[in-house]
Amino acid sequence: MLAPVSFLAALIIAPLVSSAAAILACFVIAWRNTAETGTRLQLDAQTDAMVFALRDVAQKATAVSPAPRVGSSRRSAVKAG
């Protein structure tokens, strides 16, 4: 908007306006997120569900056998051959 009047003024004010817009956007996002979050009991239930899901994944990961490890003797056999 200021470029036709003064290019230097536009260069000086543009970073200030963009920073102010970014700060305003942060406040809007934070306000929206606090309005969408529920009560303490809902947050505790969500946390419990997430912990249960992570423990289930960890149990399934330990049930699967790991890949066979290649020992150093095989490497030395390849180098010698």
Side-chain angles (χ1 to χ4, degrees), residues 34-59:
T34 56
E36 288 178 359
T37 57
T39 63
R40 178 80 174 159
L41 294 175
Q42 288 175 337
L43 292 175
D44 286 342
Q46 289 175 350
T47 303
D48 291 341
M50 191 175 298
V51 168
F52 177 75
L54 289 173
R55 286 184 180 165
D56 187 43
V57 168
Q59 276 184 336

Side-chain angles (χ1 to χ4, degrees), residues 4-78:
V5 177
S6 171
F7 186 71
L8 182 61
L11 284 177
I12 293 172
I13 292 177
L16 298 174
V17 171
S18 62
S19 296
I23 291 171
L24 179 64
C26 290
F27 282 121
V28 168
I29 290 170
W31 177 73
R32 186 186 65 185
N33 286 343
T34 56
E36 288 178 359
T37 57
T39 63
R40 178 80 174 159
L41 294 175
Q42 288 175 337
L43 292 175
D44 286 342
Q46 289 175 350
T47 303
D48 291 341
M50 191 175 298
V51 168
F52 177 75
L54 289 173
R55 286 184 180 165
D56 187 43
V57 168
Q59 276 184 336
K60 290 178 183 176
T62 56
V64 177
S65 63
R69 298 179 76 183
V70 176
S72 61
S73 61
R74 183 174 178 174
R75 288 187 204 143
S76 60
V78 172

